[in-house]
Amino acid sequence: MPFLLAPGPRRKRATPPPPVPPASRSGGESGPSPHRSTFRPDIEGLRAVAVLAVLAFHADIPGLAGGFVGVDVFFVISGYLITGLLVREAISTGRIRLGDFFSRRARRLLPSAAVVLAAVAVAGAWLTVPLRRTDLEYDVLAAALSVANWRFVSQRTDYLAAGHDQSPLLHFWSLAVEEQFYLFWAPLLAVVVLFAARAVRRGRAVRSVVALVTGALVLGSFALSLHWTEHSVSLAYLGTPSRVWQFGVGALLALLPWHLLRGPRPLRLLCGWGGAAAIGWCVVAYDASTPYPGYAALVPTLATAAVILAAIPGRGERNVQGAYGVGRLLAGRAPRAVGRLSYNLYLWHWPVLVLAEARLGTLGWPARTALTLAAVLPALATMRWVEQPLRRSRTVSELPRRGLAVGVSAIVLPVALALVVGTATLHLMGPATPVDVKGLPPGAASGPSLLGAPSGDGPVVPNPAQARKDFPPDRNCQVAPEVTRSPECLFGAVDSPDRIVLLGDSHAGQWFSPMLAIASQRGWALQELVKQGCPLPQLAVDSPQLGRAYRECDTWRADALERLRTQPKPRLIVIASLNRYTTDPELLASAWEKTLKPLRAIGAPIVYIEDTPVPGTDIPACVSGAPDDAAACAFQRAEAVPADPLARRIAAGTVPGVRVIGVNPVLCPGDGPTCPAVRDRILLYRDDAHLTNVAAVVLTPRLERLLTDAGALPAATAPGASVGDGWTELLRDDFEGPAGSRPSPANWQYDLGTCYPGCPAPQWGTGEIETMTDSTDNVRLDGKGALEIVPTRKGGAWSSGRIETVRSDFAPPPGGVLRIEASIALPDVTGPKAAGYWPAFWTLGAELRDGYTGWPGVGELDVMESVNGRDSVFGSMHCGVLEGGPCEEPVGLTSGPQACATCRTEFHAYAVEVDLGVGEVRWYLDGRVYHRVSAGQMDAGTWKRAVDHGVFLILNVAIGGKLPVADGATAGPGTEPGHPMRVDQVTVKVKGGGKGTVKGGAVRDGGSGPRSGPGPVSGSG
């Protein structure tokens, strides 16, 4: 830490050292003599001022809110001492021994830090709940590896990671900054010295070059600090680049020839006392609202420099501690004693405070002050039995490698402890993998229960580790504080002219999953316009992440409203926002009206979702500590669910054009004093203010009913609605059965060999190299509810599986819709090992069953294809004639590759809908329309022959063929067999029409979608 080193003796010498002959000085009068004692008792006392300021700040002592400037004092001291140490060595020896330097630093700093880290790792296992314990062990790792500042930067700049309690190791950020400075500064000076070693006046050359480099770094770092203070206060405060200038100011004190200045003693007195007074003024005048570091950091930094400068000995002087100088006071016995203890006291005081509050709850400043004073005991013990013995040990200091070995051991010990405790804690809490929302129990659409049926016994879902990361899957569409414009963020049926708009802050973003499900059931799109920490009412607020006025919020809000004004009118606008940005009800009402007025002008229905409870405490952490007693984590209703002023005004009819709905009666039922953290085994909150995505998904039926009852939504009758809403199920196979058994012969039949009977098209018409079999080596159930189609290779020959539905009469009713869907995980292989892999789910016209001729006129719909292990899938339609024609054969009307990073490792839903009512075929990936082909793209006869008839379904994994080759790879010796395509379920359903069949013309505009990359070649021949 900056509490550093006082290299040199602590006791007065009996006699002064003999003067160095002028001829022996390399640098002449270019700086302080390299042979003069470097010990500065006043600097040791100045460390006491710095650490006491920090301790007062952390103890919350009234009137000392600016004590954080103590860290700035330490940084300047460190830059002064370290640079002087290195430059004196360079002048007197002609080089800098980096091994010696880092050995001294290691045995001085790291052992004490290791003791504190080990103690925190062990104490955290006893004093903290499991989820906090996991976070703490990560903090121990970061602190031991000297990157704690960057870990805390990442947490504090991430709005969605807010709501966690303070880390007991947060103060290690400054130690990390200091150690990163050492790793950069010492080698840099060593390089400079190497080039200046042959200079005649070495001292002047070294000092001049290093001073120039330091000056440039100071200016650049200070400019960066100003920029980051304006745009990211956490990065500015904790980041090393924005703090280098403070070390540099100290370095310039050691480099420039201040000792040649013969200023009068009163000027020195004024300089020293003025600097001390400025430091004291900062401690009293600064507080959390001070933009920091920025320009404000100049005062404590230059004030510290003034105190140090006032006592720099002049030419011929041994010291300048006059009777009235501030240095005389700082060099007193008491300040020096505190200064010697400052490093260990700094290390211990913050963990003592935080861990005590973790066990006892929030404490007032008198108790925090007492705990801070109590930290003196472990600090003294660590200094007495760890720091001093290692610093004074001749055995350790004799060889640099021994000091370095001590440092490495001091790193390894806490890392090992953190790994042991952290691993045990993770095992205790259970997996942190994402929750499969498809397996969640259905939520209740009405009534007092959260779920539609009793949940029974069992662990909470998500578990606390999962809850911490259970965010809406909206692909970062909740834009960060520094962003001023949302991307398009369209989901669901993105080509649909109808859409729901979700608008607001992160309390609107938590409703993403329910709104997407509601939109998809109606064949609509969802547009998300959400910004973190940005009130939807037009209020001027500050951003904790940016550390200043949140101007980006105002810009984003104006842009979002303007986009909605100029875009086509949506079917529904859903708004939500935290209503705690101000406590002034009149100001809030006025701010809401400024936003609602332009929204009403759009003419779309507007629904406000009443703000959900704000627990104000880290709910997942609490539940992790009481897994069998969720009631222990209940929180106070009065603070968490205050009256929502906008909801009350809407209900009273004073806000025209806006409807209100709310789910708080089920989140916080009854009228008791507390609200639950868990209901029906569903963990409701992911932090101290936001719902888990699981809770939001379970609330979907209730939200849909509320929106429908409010007249804001029509009933769900569009494509994709569940069975019972007008759909008739023709086939559903969930592939249940013993492991290694065959799929149901009532539903499936096998294709065998390398072509259809009579071999009208060898190699299945595509050039594939595998032989299809009915062996369970190639087609089998896995015993867990999935079908596996596995390509294998024996003796260089490939075999695989290809199955078709027994039925070939799956057809849309006149004017109706046919929907074919499967949940599939692609073969989990990529790169050269996947060359030639070609998994597919597709359909062919029923006529092919009679002679296997007539392709492509009878129609082929490729619901899903992928080649060569790419992280992409595509869909296509084949029709018309063999070459050219309306389907552009043999390529077909293809979507082109659709990115899907997890399609190999997770199940995804692939579907195609043949809609005769509107004359359109639609392709879906996880409910999102990504490709369309309309009747208007071809003549009526071609359209009818391609889609208006029965089809059969095909599942297969081919190896090799024209499409993998067109994609740039082919099966070879490096292709790895044995990776199955897994199919979770296949469903076919229809919905009656009544609109009449389209004949020739298009009911609405369509298109073949983007054409990129090679299209699929016919899978039928």
Side-chain angles (χ1 to χ4, degrees):
M1 271 298 296
F3 314 98
L4 302 177
L5 342 144
R10 293 188 177 277
R11 297 182 178 86
K12 292 185 178 179
R13 297 174 181 244
T15 58
V20 179
S24 69
R25 295 188 182 184
S26 303
E29 290 298 332
S30 63
S33 168
H35 305 289
R36 184 177 294 154
S37 171
T38 61
F39 179 61
R40 291 275 302 269
D42 60 313
I43 289 182
E44 194 167 59
L46 187 57
R47 289 197 196 95
V49 173
V51 78
L52 290 175
V54 173
L55 266 57
F57 167 63
H58 286 162
D60 288 339
I61 296 177
L64 303 179
F68 54 82
V69 301
V71 173
D72 304 65
V73 176
F74 284 130
F75 287 166
V76 178
I77 293 174
S78 181
Y80 174 74
L81 292 177
I82 288 296
T83 304
L85 181 85
L86 293 171
V87 171
R88 279 189 296 273
E89 181 184 5
I91 292 172
S92 47
T93 68
R95 63 193 179 97
I96 293 175
R97 295 181 294 271
L98 292 179
D100 285 349
F101 173 78
F102 287 116
S103 175
R104 291 194 298 270
R105 298 296 77 73
R107 69 174 188 265
R108 164 68 176 92
L109 300 178
L110 297 183
S112 294
V115 170
V116 174
L117 292 175
V120 169
V122 174
W126 171 51
L127 295 173
T128 62
V129 297
L131 191 56
R132 286 283 312 281
R133 195 180 310 154
T134 304
D135 294 337
L136 178 57
E137 303 312 325
Y138 282 121
D139 294 343
V140 170
L141 288 173
L145 298 174
S146 300
V147 292
N149 62 322
W150 296 114
R151 170 165 167 80
F152 296 127
V153 164
S154 67
Q155 291 178 335
R156 291 181 165 229
T157 55
D158 183 0
Y159 176 86
L160 296 180
H164 304 170
D165 293 331
Q166 293 274 33
S167 168
L169 299 176
L170 179 59
H171 65 317
F172 266 73
W173 75 267
S174 58
L175 180 58
V177 168
E178 179 116 7
E179 290 171 345
Q180 291 162 28
F181 169 71
Y182 293 160
L183 292 172
F184 159 76
W185 191 237
L188 177 63
L189 294 194
V191 172
V192 171
V193 169
L194 182 66
F195 284 103
R198 296 182 180 275
V200 175
R201 298 177 65 83
R202 184 193 300 150
R204 179 173 299 172
V206 169
R207 282 187 166 85
S208 298
V209 175
V210 174
L212 287 174
V213 172
T214 303
L217 285 173
V218 167
L219 293 176
S221 172
F222 183 64
L224 183 63
S225 175
L226 296 180
H227 175 74
W228 279 353
T229 301
E230 175 71 12
H231 294 91
S232 177
V233 67
S234 297
L235 193 57
Y237 195 90
L238 303 173
T240 304
S242 58
R243 292 292 191 160
V244 165
W245 71 274
Q246 296 179 299
F247 295 98
V249 168
L252 290 175
L253 289 174
L255 291 167
L256 299 181
W258 306 104
H259 66 291
L260 298 180
L261 300 177
R262 295 178 176 271
R265 189 166 296 275
L267 186 60
R268 288 191 175 190
L269 290 175
L270 181 63
C271 180
W273 283 109
I279 294 172
W281 177 81
C282 292
V283 172
V284 175
Y286 286 4
D287 58 24
S289 66
T290 305
Y292 210 82
Y295 287 108
L298 278 171
V299 180
T301 301
L302 297 181
T304 305
V307 174
I308 296 174
L309 180 62
I312 290 180
R315 188 192 308 225
E317 295 179 316
R318 292 191 60 246
N319 64 71
V320 292
Q321 304 298 343
Y324 303 105
V326 69
R328 181 66 174 267
L329 177 64
L330 293 174
R333 179 174 297 179
R336 288 179 57 193
V338 176
R340 284 192 294 272
L341 187 62
S342 61
Y343 177 57
N344 288 287
L345 185 55
Y346 182 89
L347 289 177
W348 276 106
H349 83 284
W350 184 248
V352 168
L353 286 174
V354 174
L355 291 174
E357 288 198 331
R359 176 64 79 179
L360 303 174
T362 303
L363 302 172
W365 73 266
R368 292 175 68 89
T369 302
L371 285 169
T372 301
L373 293 174
V376 171
L377 296 177
L380 282 170
T382 305
M383 183 177 71
R384 171 67 179 82
W385 289 306
V386 177
E387 177 190 321
Q388 291 180 347
L390 286 172
R391 288 183 65 193
R392 297 171 180 174
S393 169
R394 291 185 177 181
T395 302
V396 174
S397 59
E398 188 176 24
L399 296 174
R401 64 174 178 267
R402 293 175 182 171
L404 294 174
V406 169
V408 171
S409 301
I411 294 173
V412 171
L413 172 65
V415 166
L417 275 174
L419 291 174
V420 170
V421 176
T423 302
T425 304
L426 288 173
H427 180 73
L428 174 68
M429 287 194 303
T433 53
V435 177
D436 181 7
V437 295
K438 294 181 180 179
L440 293 175
S446 60
S449 297
L450 181 65
L451 300 180
S455 59
D457 297 326
V460 297
V461 179
N463 68 44
Q466 292 171 320
R468 181 62 62 79
K469 301 177 181 179
D470 195 28
F471 298 103
D474 54 2
R475 302 200 294 264
N476 298 319
C477 280
Q478 297 188 43
V479 296
E482 65 273 12
V483 179
T484 57
R485 178 180 172 84
S486 288
E488 280 303 303
C489 287
L490 284 173
F491 301 86
V494 295
D495 293 336
S496 173
D498 301 318
R499 75 188 192 284
I500 297 174
V501 173
L502 182 60
L503 177 66
D505 63 3
S506 58
H507 278 234
Q510 67 187 357
W511 300 119
F512 169 81
S513 291
M515 291 302 116
L516 177 59
I518 290 170
S520 296
Q521 286 180 353
R522 288 157 177 78
W524 299 353
L526 173 69
Q527 182 178 21
E528 184 182 25
L529 299 174
V530 166
K531 183 168 175 62
Q532 301 167 6
C534 178
L536 189 55
Q538 296 191 26
L539 293 167
V541 297
D542 291 338
S543 167
Q545 283 68 43
L546 301 178
R548 55 167 172 78
Y550 201 177
R551 296 185 293 272
E552 289 82 354
C553 174
D554 301 326
T555 303
W556 173 87
R557 188 192 305 110
D559 176 77
L561 293 174
E562 178 63 17
R563 287 168 67 177
L564 292 177
R565 185 186 69 82
T566 56
Q567 290 176 355
K569 183 173 73 174
R571 293 292 296 268
L572 173 65
I573 300 175
V574 176
I575 61 175
S577 180
L578 183 70
N579 260 324
R580 300 182 178 217
Y581 293 100
T582 178
T583 57
D584 185 336
E586 294 184 1
L587 177 62
L588 182 61
S590 173
W592 266 117
E593 185 56 31
K594 291 176 183 177
T595 296
L596 293 174
K597 183 177 180 180
L599 283 179
R600 280 193 292 261
I602 295 172
I606 303 171
V607 173
Y608 170 68
I609 302 181
E610 182 182 2
D611 198 19
T612 50
V614 177
T617 186
D618 189 345
I619 293 296
C622 178
V623 173
S624 74
D628 300 321
D629 184 18
C633 298
F635 48 91
Q636 293 299 310
R637 178 191 296 268
E639 291 81 13
V641 198
D644 188 316
L646 180 60
R648 296 179 70 174
R649 292 176 60 234
I650 295 172
T654 59
V655 184
V658 183
R659 287 161 262 197
V660 62
I661 64 172
V663 294
N664 287 353
V666 73
L667 292 177
C668 188
D671 55 3
T674 62
C675 299
V678 176
R679 282 213 71 192
D680 296 341
R681 293 196 303 109
I682 301 296
L683 204 167
L684 299 177
Y685 303 94
R686 70 171 186 255
D687 50 27
D688 64 345
H690 301 88
L691 296 177
T692 59
N693 188 59
V694 166
V697 168
V698 169
L699 286 166
T700 300
R702 189 176 299 266
L703 285 168
E704 183 172 22
R705 179 189 62 80
L706 291 170
L707 289 169
T708 304
D709 291 349
L713 275 181
T717 58
S722 62
V723 174
D725 288 338
W727 290 93
T728 300
E729 195 168 80
L730 304 181
L731 170 69
R732 181 181 179 92
D733 197 331
D734 293 310
F735 301 108
E736 299 291 342
S741 61
R742 299 170 181 267
S744 169
N747 293 332
W748 303 96
Q749 63 187 34
Y750 291 84
D751 291 330
L752 302 175
T754 59
C755 54
Y756 282 118
C759 217
Q763 295 180 288
W764 303 109
T766 61
E768 301 165 28
I769 63 173
E770 85 289 340
T771 298
M772 297 299 185
T773 80
D774 60 355
S775 168
T776 53
D777 290 340
N778 298 120
V779 182
R780 61 180 178 247
L781 302 184
D782 69 354
K784 301 177 182 179
L787 170 74
E788 293 184 336
I789 300 181
V790 192
T792 60
R793 182 175 57 199
K794 293 181 180 179
W798 285 90
S799 61
S800 188
R802 172 169 165 152
I803 60 173
E804 301 178 355
T805 55
V806 173
R807 292 182 59 175
S808 61
D809 59 349
F810 300 124
V817 183
L818 168 70
R819 181 177 176 87
I820 299 168
E821 182 173 7
S823 176
I824 298 173
L826 299 182
D828 191 12
V829 60
T830 191
K833 295 179 180 180
Y837 267 71
W838 184 2
F841 171 49
W842 45 300
T843 76
L844 285 172
E847 291 181 23
L848 281 176
R849 284 274 176 88
D850 182 15
Y852 298 101
T853 59
W855 189 91
V858 297
E860 175 182 332
L861 300 177
D862 300 319
V863 187
M864 182 284 300
E865 293 186 273
S866 181
V867 292
N868 296 328
R870 306 287 189 200
D871 286 331
S872 61
V873 295
F874 48 84
S876 307
M877 177 174 175
H878 295 274
C879 69
V881 296
L882 284 170
E883 295 290 337
C887 278
E888 303 173 14
E889 298 300 338
V891 172
L893 300 177
T894 177
S895 67
Q898 305 292 305
C900 188
T902 60
C903 280
R904 290 182 291 105
T905 57
E906 299 175 7
F907 285 100
H908 288 262
Y910 303 89
V912 68
E913 287 180 349
V914 180
D915 190 339
L916 297 183
V918 298
E920 188 177 69
V921 182
R922 294 179 291 269
W923 281 257
Y924 293 82
L925 172 56
D926 293 329
R928 176 180 67 86
V929 175
Y930 70 90
H931 183 42
R932 298 173 187 263
V933 173
S934 73
Q937 294 175 248
M938 61 197 71
D939 60 276
T942 299
W943 171 260
K944 182 175 180 63
R945 190 173 179 219
V947 300
D948 194 5
H949 52 66
V951 299
F952 57 94
L953 281 53
I954 306 171
L955 290 161
N956 73 280
V957 178
I959 296 295
K962 298 176 183 177
L963 188 54
V965 170
D967 184 64
T970 187
T975 304
E976 189 172 272
H979 295 280
M981 176 174 78
R982 296 178 294 148
V983 186
D984 182 60
Q985 59 88 15
V986 173
T987 305
V988 180
K989 54 189 177 183
V990 294
K991 179 180 287 187
K995 300 178 182 178
T997 303
V998 174
K999 297 182 182 295
V1003 171
R1004 69 179 180 189
D1005 292 338
S1008 61
R1011 301 296 303 276
S1012 59
V1017 181
S1018 164
S1020 62

